[in-house]
Amino acid sequence: MATETEHSPGEAVTARIERRWATLSIIIVGLLVGMAAYIGIHQATMPQGHVETADPKTLHLAGEFIESNLGSAVEADGSVTVRAIGQQYSFTPQCVVVPSETPVTFRATSADVVHGFLIEGTNINTMLVPGYVSALQVRFKAPGEHMMPCQEFCGIGHQGMWGKVKVVDKAAFLNMAAAKRRLTCVD
Amino acid sequence: MSDQPLVSLRNPWFVAGVGITVGIAAFSAVVGLIWLPLAQPDLKLSGIWDAICSAAGVPRATVQDASIKPEFRTSNVVMTSEMLTKPDQVSIGRGATLSQRCAICHGPQGVSDANSPNLAGQFAAVTYKELNDFKAGARVSVVMSPFAAAISDQDMKDVAAYYAYLPRVPSNNLNAGLPAPAIVVTGAPMRNIPPCGSCHGDIDNKAGSPWLGGQSAVYIKAQLQSLASGARRNDISQQMRNVARQMTPEEIDQAARYYAAQP
Ligand SMILES: [Cu+2]
């Protein structure tokens, strides 16, 4: 500010306003950084800890991704593991059933090209890359239904590729699991 | 400045600069490769070396825990899009001889008048896969299974090459003017049904998807019904069952009638 007069009231007002604006912007920046840090630490989906491989051509022959092993399994520690594959142009199982209020691990891979794996209303959003296993953890708060679309263009039928995740009450899930060792909600 | 060399242990600025940088690098390595991985109980790491390897992204094969074995036979064919796409003349010739045993049902030219499926012009990989599945018991048909029971791998490849080489013959039901139903053209994206042609060859071909044009409506309908009910489950990882299960009986009828009228 190049005013000739010293001690002009205008200069003092301007300086005060500038100081207040600077303070406010610093507070906003601090708030945003704080928010990012908080969300990053408390709600982020952590990058996967291991790189695991699985041959996309032989998933159906042996290993954890054979047809009869897909779906939700109750582990010894009470958590649930869901195994699924993405292929042109569907997920198997088409409908995944999981309990509420339980730690759930999704383990999924692709049988052909790169697919997307996203569960609406959760932090799960990753890619299924042929050759690699994607593993993610989540906990569903309440029963309900979530869409699970493929959000990565995977070929000419991509727009029809989606599955769903049905979250049911924990007790109801454990009842179902007593009768069958791999659960799905495919009719 | 003095004429002391810059890069020298006697230059305190140099020593401090490099020292701090190396210190930060070492600290970050310990935090990133050891401390943070070990702080995650879910990773179930067996020790420091395991922590370093997994943080550095060394790939490992999936842990083979006890998988549930199927109660039924599944296909054991490894499909690739290049499979049997380069036929040789010897193989086609041998296939022609072998195919005489199949002619009563599938027709001398691979085109059947009865409701056995046409094989002429079928993708070789499809014929090969279906024969394998009949032989392995993954697909079952009282009529067809006995003819695949004793066939050798090379024989399957040869008949497959021969039938792929035969021209598709337009069926008696050919009606190119028949409008394509919505289930064929657009599928039903809200029900996880892509257009049939995105796999079956009209638009694109997903390895192992049969050519449907000219197949009898009775056959197509029967197959869709048994895929939907799970009576037929030789499709790898449910790729066709996932589609058929979502189709309505009307859509099955429409698709069957449409494909029967195509070349
Ligand atoms: Cu996809």
Side-chain angles (χ1 to χ4, degrees), chain B residues 163-177:
Chain B
Y163 281 122
Y165 154 87
L166 286 182
R168 290 181 191 135
V169 179
S171 77
N172 304 334
N173 303 319
L174 187 68
N175 176 4

Side-chain angles (χ1 to χ4, degrees), chain A residues 92-122:
Chain A
T92 301
Q94 224 170 3
C95 180
V96 170
V97 61
V98 290
S100 57
E101 291 300 343
T102 307
V104 175
T105 305
F106 280 88
R107 291 178 61 80
T109 187
S110 163
D112 37 44
V113 299
V114 174
H115 295 282
F117 188 70
L118 180 152
I119 301 176
E120 166 250 327
T122 72

Side-chain angles (χ1 to χ4, degrees), chain A residues 46-54 57-70 75 77 83 85 87-92 94 107 112 132-133 137 147 156-163 181-182 186-187, chain B residues 40 42-43 45 54-55 57-70 72 74-80 186 189-195 198-199 203-204 206 233 235-239 241-243 245-246:
Chain A
M46 286 296 164
Q48 210 167 314
H50 301 299
V51 175
E52 287 177 63
T53 54
K57 294 195 291 291
T58 56
L59 294 178
H60 61 294
L61 298 185
E64 65 172 319
F65 293 103
I66 56 174
E67 191 180 324
S68 47
N69 200 45
L70 300 177
E75 301 295 335
D77 62 2
R83 293 188 180 77
I85 65 164
Q87 61 195 349
Q88 286 170 324
Y89 295 105
S90 59
F91 292 100
T92 301
Q94 224 170 3
R107 291 178 61 80
D112 37 44
Y132 297 92
V133 179
Q137 267 139 3
M147 296 265 274
I156 202 82
H158 162 70
Q159 74 282 2
M161 177 167 178
W162 62 279
R181 291 173 64 198
R182 293 292 179 270
V186 176
D187 26 286
Chain B
Q40 299 180 59
D42 297 335
L43 291 184
L45 297 166
S54 53
V58 177
R60 48 156 113 179
T62 299
V63 228
Q64 299 271 330
D65 59 355
S67 299
I68 302 285
K69 296 285 170 277
F72 53 91
T74 50
S75 181
N76 56 18
V77 181
V78 176
M79 288 304 299
T80 61
T186 56
M190 291 311 292
R191 276 180 284 144
N192 190 200
I193 306 181
S198 44
C199 297
I203 309 170
D204 194 5
K206 175 178 160 99
R233 32 192 186 186
D235 55 327
I236 294 171
S237 303
Q238 309 214 30
Q239 45 195 346
R241 268 170 290 166
N242 283 341
V243 175
R245 207 185 288 124
Q246 301 293 328

Side-chain angles (χ1 to χ4, degrees), chain A residues 114-176:
Chain A
V114 174
H115 295 282
F117 188 70
L118 180 152
I119 301 176
E120 166 250 327
T122 72
N123 249 343
I124 291 196
N125 181 352
T126 188
M127 289 196 296
L128 303 184
V129 183
Y132 297 92
V133 179
S134 301
L136 288 170
Q137 267 139 3
V138 70
R139 192 185 178 100
F140 294 91
K141 289 205 182 71
E145 240 178 54
H146 301 253
M147 296 265 274
M148 185 172 79
C150 167
Q151 90 292 25
E152 189 84 35
F153 181 78
C154 59
I156 202 82
H158 162 70
Q159 74 282 2
M161 177 167 178
W162 62 279
K164 69 184 166 196
V165 175
K166 206 160 129 184
V167 184
V168 299
D169 180 67
K170 192 171 179 175
F173 182 88
L174 291 176
N175 260 341
M176 288 157 72

Side-chain angles (χ1 to χ4, degrees), chain B residues 13 23-24 44 46 57 78 83 89 106 112 119 124 145 150 154 158-159 163 167 170 172 178-179 214 222 227-228:
Chain B
W13 294 104
I24 292 177
K44 301 189 180 73
S46 60
V78 176
M83 185 181 198
Q89 289 305 317
H106 293 285
S112 162
L119 300 176
S145 294
Q154 189 56 49
D158 293 342
V159 273
Y163 281 122
N172 304 334
L178 192 72
L227 285 159

Side-chain angles (χ1 to χ4, degrees), chain B residues 137-153:
Chain B
R139 183 175 171 185
V140 181
S141 153
V142 259
V143 188
M144 178 60 213
S145 294
F147 291 90
I151 189 166
S152 74
D153 190 64

